Amino acid sequence: VTGYPDTYDWTVGDRAPGNDGIWKVDIKSGEKELLTSFQDISKLLEEVKDIPQRANLYINHALSSRDCTRIYFFGRGNFREKEQAVNEAFTMKSDGSDLKRVNYIGGHPE
């Protein structure tokens, strides 16, 4: 899952991979940890009746809280088909726990 055209994507054909999503990376050591996957996000989206299961998901507008305890982001997909577009807001603790959907009331998250 990548947001850049013509970039290599090892998840082609998997709309909600379990091995990709939001990562925590230590830039000094190169150590990385998957905090939440597209598969995790997809499971929460299944609770929303109008979310199409065929939408290829991507993450957008990931932001950290000022005290670095939470991450806010959008799970998106299917933007070319407006009636079936996925645009749901999520939050989780910065360690990847407590992932949940939240109500989005509009505007740009900051």
Side-chain angles (χ1 to χ4, degrees):
V1 176
T2 183
Y4 300 99
D6 302 320
T7 303
Y8 176 72
D9 184 356
W10 66 88
T11 64
V12 170
D14 189 352
R15 67 167 203 81
N19 63 348
D20 198 3
I22 295 180
W23 294 82
K24 177 180 177 180
V25 179
D26 182 322
I27 58 173
K28 287 184 182 177
S29 70
E31 207 173 303
K32 59 187 176 184
E33 174 188 1
L34 181 61
L35 297 177
T36 194
S37 70
F38 288 100
Q39 192 173 67
D40 298 332
I41 295 164
S42 179
K43 286 177 185 174
L44 286 179
L45 288 173
E46 288 173 4
E47 298 172 5
V48 182
K49 294 178 186 173
D50 296 337
I51 300 298
Q53 294 304 308
R54 68 179 184 275
N56 290 317
L57 300 177
Y58 64 96
I59 293 168
N60 200 289
H61 297 297
L63 301 167
S64 177
S65 63
R66 288 189 173 104
D67 63 1
C68 297
T69 60
R70 297 201 68 83
I71 298 170
Y72 178 88
F73 63 94
F74 286 93
R76 292 183 166 173
N78 243 20
F79 259 55
R80 291 191 177 136
E81 299 177 35
K82 292 291 183 192
E83 298 80 34
Q84 297 182 359
V86 176
N87 187 30
E88 296 292 320
F90 292 87
T91 185
M92 67 180 175
K93 290 183 179 177
S94 58
D95 66 0
S97 64
D98 195 29
L99 175 66
K100 57 186 169 186
R101 275 184 57 247
V102 293
N103 289 332
Y104 171 63
I105 57 172
H108 197 275
E110 293 183 308

